[in-house]
Amino acid sequence: MARRDVSLAAMHRIIEKAGAERVSRSATEQLAEILEDVGRQIGVTALELAMHAGRKTVRAEDVKLAAKKLY
Amino acid sequence: MARRDVSLAAMHRIIEKAGAERVSRSATEQLAEILEDVGRQIGVTALELAMHAGRKTVRAEDVKLAAKKLY
């Protein structure tokens, strides 16, 4: 398995904040996998948008537009 | 601003792995905001699905189905 980019503790907090009394470890692993996948897709699209704008630096506006296009 | 659930370093890694040479701090903040929002939505729906199944524990299957329903 690839090294995690987001922590399982963070995933646990997010689900707990939704009001869950208990959260299984596999649930936190599942959420980490999903959010990293969403993040990767946004990252790839944001980079394309930055390059399209003639930049080598990915900016907030690229991430925002990427998320809007994808989701 | 609410305390972050995901780290900006993690967001930076995700965008860098997409191939970006440089990533602005605001881009990492934007990605954190988006992923936390996605996570919250999945968390709320996953909890509903767990309760619907008569459980108080959120499991991986709830998170998976929540993400499928939402995205």
Side-chain angles (χ1 to χ4, degrees):
Chain A
M1 188 174 64
R3 194 185 165 287
R4 287 240 165 279
D5 282 313
V6 297
S7 76
L8 295 184
M11 300 302 102
H12 195 275
R13 278 197 301 275
I14 286 174
I15 303 177
E16 255 189 347
K17 280 186 188 169
E21 274 188 50
R22 287 196 299 267
V23 183
S24 78
R25 185 188 165 90
S26 64
T28 63
E29 289 169 344
Q30 184 69 58
L31 186 59
E33 200 177 296
I34 290 165
L35 292 191
E36 287 179 357
D37 192 47
V38 170
R40 270 190 293 272
Q41 290 179 49
I42 291 174
V44 168
T45 303
L47 176 58
E48 280 177 353
L49 291 167
M51 294 195 312
H52 180 73
R55 283 183 276 101
K56 287 185 173 178
T57 304
V58 174
R59 292 185 189 162
E61 65 214 60
D62 305 314
V63 172
K64 203 167 185 173
L65 185 55
K68 190 179 160 189
K69 293 288 174 208
L70 288 166
Y71 298 100
Chain B
M1 189 174 64
R3 196 187 163 287
R4 288 240 165 277
D5 282 314
V6 297
S7 75
L8 296 185
M11 300 302 101
H12 195 276
R13 278 197 300 274
I14 287 175
I15 304 177
E16 254 189 347
K17 281 186 187 170
E21 273 188 50
R22 287 195 300 268
V23 183
S24 78
R25 186 188 164 91
S26 64
T28 63
E29 287 168 346
Q30 183 70 58
L31 185 59
E33 199 178 296
I34 290 165
L35 292 191
E36 286 178 359
D37 192 48
V38 170
R40 269 191 293 273
Q41 290 179 49
I42 291 174
V44 168
T45 303
L47 176 59
E48 281 177 353
L49 291 166
M51 293 194 312
H52 182 74
R55 283 183 276 101
K56 288 185 174 178
T57 304
V58 174
R59 290 184 190 162
E61 65 214 61
D62 304 314
V63 172
K64 202 166 187 173
L65 185 55
K68 191 179 160 189
K69 293 288 175 207
L70 288 167
Y71 298 100

